[in-house]
């Protein structure tokens, strides 16, 4: 739930026109939810224990979001 709230807050900062949404409406972009989940310390710890880097995964996702020309996978 905390990750969902962080994703909503992060998304509102990027899209100020969406700040007037009713509180009952829950709508976040999947990428923002994933980034918020990766920010969670317990998720980061579990990923580290499994030999993954939460910050590296997060950076890759953010880089793909900021990419001007999205790559097409075949």
């Amino acid at each position: 739930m905390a990750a969902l709230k962080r994703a909503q807050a992060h998304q509102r900062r990027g899209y100020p026109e969406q700040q007037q949404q009713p509180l009952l409406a829950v709508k976040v972009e999947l990428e923002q939810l994933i980034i918020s989940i990766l920010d969670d310390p317990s998720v980061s710890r579990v990923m580290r224990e499994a030999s993954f880097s939460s910050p590296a995964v997060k950076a890759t996702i953010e880089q793909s979001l900021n990419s001007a020309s999205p790559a097409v996978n075949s």
Side-chain angles (χ1 to χ4, degrees), residues 1-11 26-40 43 54 58 61-62 65:
M1 187 56 118
L4 184 59
K5 289 181 180 183
R6 283 193 306 271
Q8 284 179 304
H10 183 70
Q11 187 169 317
V26 176
K27 180 181 176 186
V28 295
E29 294 177 9
L30 181 59
E31 293 87 356
Q32 294 302 328
L33 180 59
I34 292 169
I35 289 170
S36 295
I37 290 170
L38 290 171
D39 281 340
D40 188 281
V43 172
S54 183
K58 180 182 170 187
I61 292 170
E62 288 176 333
L65 289 174

Side-chain angles (χ1 to χ4, degrees), residues 16-74:
E17 67 276 1
Q18 292 182 355
Q19 289 184 5
Q20 299 302 323
Q21 286 184 344
L23 293 177
L24 296 176
V26 176
K27 180 181 176 186
V28 295
E29 294 177 9
L30 181 59
E31 293 87 356
Q32 294 302 328
L33 180 59
I34 292 169
I35 289 170
S36 295
I37 290 170
L38 290 171
D39 281 340
D40 188 281
S42 60
V43 172
S44 183
R45 180 177 32 85
V46 170
M47 288 185 68
R48 189 173 44 253
E49 289 172 2
S51 300
F52 290 101
S53 171
S54 183
V57 173
K58 180 182 170 187
T60 301
I61 292 170
E62 288 176 333
Q63 182 181 14
S64 70
L65 289 174
N66 294 330
S67 176
S69 59
V72 177
N73 295 332
S74 46

